[in-house]
Amino acid sequence: MRPRDDEELLLECQIFNVVRKWTEGTDGRHHVRQIIRHPGAVVLLPRLDDGRVVLIRNYRTAVARHLLELPAGTLEPGEEPVLAAHRELAEETGYRAKSMRLLTSFFASPGILDERMHLFLATGLEPGPTALQPDEQIETVVLPWEEALALARKGQIEDAKTLIGLLFVELLRAT
């Protein structure tokens, strides 16, 4: 991830960079913004044949607690999102999908971040071993679809990508 010509690299990290970007406002003056440059990510909504959804309970250091989430992961340089989707599903849940269908893509937080997330529906699931990273604290949680939606309604699911994924698929089911 190299900064663009009109950007200055402020911080280079393993997964993302922070840059300073200059833009011209409607007032004709130059304005400065700090932006997080991210390679993008995949989000998976794994559905078992009986309709249950596979979530993960994931410890998030940034908020110092476990969150109930859909499996997800960062794209490797040059990696196709569908390949990352298969990789992340297997690593985090142990499941392998016979079918991986792209539903939509969205920006996670476009006010400060250029990360595009690709939401996939994973079906035809077969269980297998996980391959967690040493710093990951992840537990697989399988719930009935209605229970997952009820947790979202009650505010017990706080992760944005998970809320988007659950509600987007529920919207598709309703149409």
Side-chain angles (χ1 to χ4, degrees):
M1 279 183 302
R2 298 190 60 193
R4 298 175 186 157
D5 290 341
D6 60 343
E7 296 178 348
E8 174 189 3
L9 181 64
L10 299 177
L11 177 66
E12 188 171 10
C13 298
Q14 182 178 350
I15 296 176
F16 64 87
N17 292 340
V18 179
V19 300
R20 178 179 293 130
K21 182 172 179 66
W22 291 267
T23 61
E24 187 174 329
T26 56
D27 60 1
R29 297 174 51 198
H30 283 87
H31 301 271
V32 178
R33 297 275 189 265
Q34 287 74 40
I35 299 170
I36 300 167
R37 295 279 180 221
H38 190 283
V42 294
V43 182
L44 309 145
L45 197 146
R47 299 269 321 250
L48 294 167
D49 292 342
D50 64 7
R52 291 179 298 158
V53 62
V54 179
L55 300 170
I56 58 173
R57 189 174 322 283
N58 192 2
Y59 183 78
R60 293 298 190 174
T61 303
V63 295
R65 62 185 209 234
H66 289 87
L67 296 178
L68 198 56
E69 305 177 12
L70 290 173
T74 301
L75 293 169
E76 299 291 337
E79 185 178 31
E80 290 296 320
V82 69
L83 297 177
H86 282 283
R87 174 178 50 80
E88 289 295 336
L89 178 66
E91 285 179 5
E92 293 188 356
T93 70
Y95 283 98
R96 275 69 176 166
K98 290 180 184 166
S99 173
M100 193 69 73
R101 183 169 60 113
L102 179 64
L103 299 178
T104 192
S105 296
F106 57 92
F107 290 106
S109 182
I112 62 166
L113 173 67
D114 71 352
E115 178 183 25
R116 178 178 286 278
M117 302 192 96
H118 307 277
L119 174 64
F120 286 88
L121 178 64
T123 56
L125 302 180
E126 296 290 333
T130 61
L132 299 177
Q133 301 296 319
D135 64 335
E136 291 180 317
Q137 298 177 37
I138 295 175
E139 170 194 357
T140 301
V141 178
V142 178
L143 295 175
W145 180 252
E146 292 303 326
E147 187 176 336
L149 291 177
L151 291 172
R153 276 193 290 281
K154 293 177 194 173
Q156 293 177 344
I157 294 179
E158 301 175 273
D159 175 62
K161 69 184 177 307
T162 302
L163 290 169
I164 290 168
L166 291 172
L167 298 177
F168 191 84
V169 169
E170 181 63 11
L171 177 67
L172 292 177
R173 285 172 27 122
T175 57

